[in-house]
Amino acid sequence: MLRIPQLTMQATFPQLSITIERGYMHMRQQQAEMSIEQPKPQLEMKTTPPRLTIDQTEAWADMDLKHIFRRVEEAAQEGYASWLSYLETTAIQGDELMRIEQGGDVLAMQAQANSERPPFDYNVGLIPRPFSVKIGFEPGRIDMHWQTSGARIHIEPRPVQIDYKPNVVHIDLARHNNLRIDVTV
């Protein structure tokens, strides 16, 4: 009998061992430093006060309470008007006397006209006319100019502090592969 050798094989497969070290990440951030400053606005104000003017000059003049300069001016005007009237009357009477030969009682008429007083002009005195007091009014004004400046904001950020450890994976060979061959006769 013939014996054939037999081969027996026994194989052991490799085995891996995997261990994982968990990583971590911690983040911390301090609050930023912040300062806000708001300067006060500047106000520049100009006022023009109201103005009331009351002119009673004509009312006082109506009551014959006039300033001396006005009295002198009126007297000068009255004197000039009287002088012009006198010149006119003298010229007219002179012309009449030049024509005396034409008849008529020129001398008697002139004597009578020169001896009579002019009619007396009278009025209720010491009462001012209506609206003789002049009133003027200028309203006041307020001019306001503002100078504002924006807020001054200063921010100093703090950096983020990060503690980080990544995951670590360890791969080891827990069991080696093995092949065993036995020959049996």
Side-chain angles (χ1 to χ4, degrees), residues 81-110:
S82 294
W83 177 68
L84 288 177
S85 175
Y86 170 76
L87 282 179
E88 180 186 15
T89 305
T90 305
I92 290 172
Q93 287 180 356
D95 287 344
E96 289 174 353
L97 286 175
M98 274 189 340
R99 288 184 234 104
I100 199 166
E101 70 275 355
Q102 293 178 358
D105 200 7
V106 176
L107 284 175
M109 285 175 34
Q110 286 184 3

Side-chain angles (χ1 to χ4, degrees), residues 44 48 57 60 63 71 89 101 120 150-151 156 160 169 183 185:
E44 182 180 319
T48 304
T57 307
W60 289 112
M63 295 185 296
R71 285 193 184 276
T89 305
E101 70 275 355
F120 184 67
E156 188 176 323
V160 177
V169 178
V183 178
V185 188

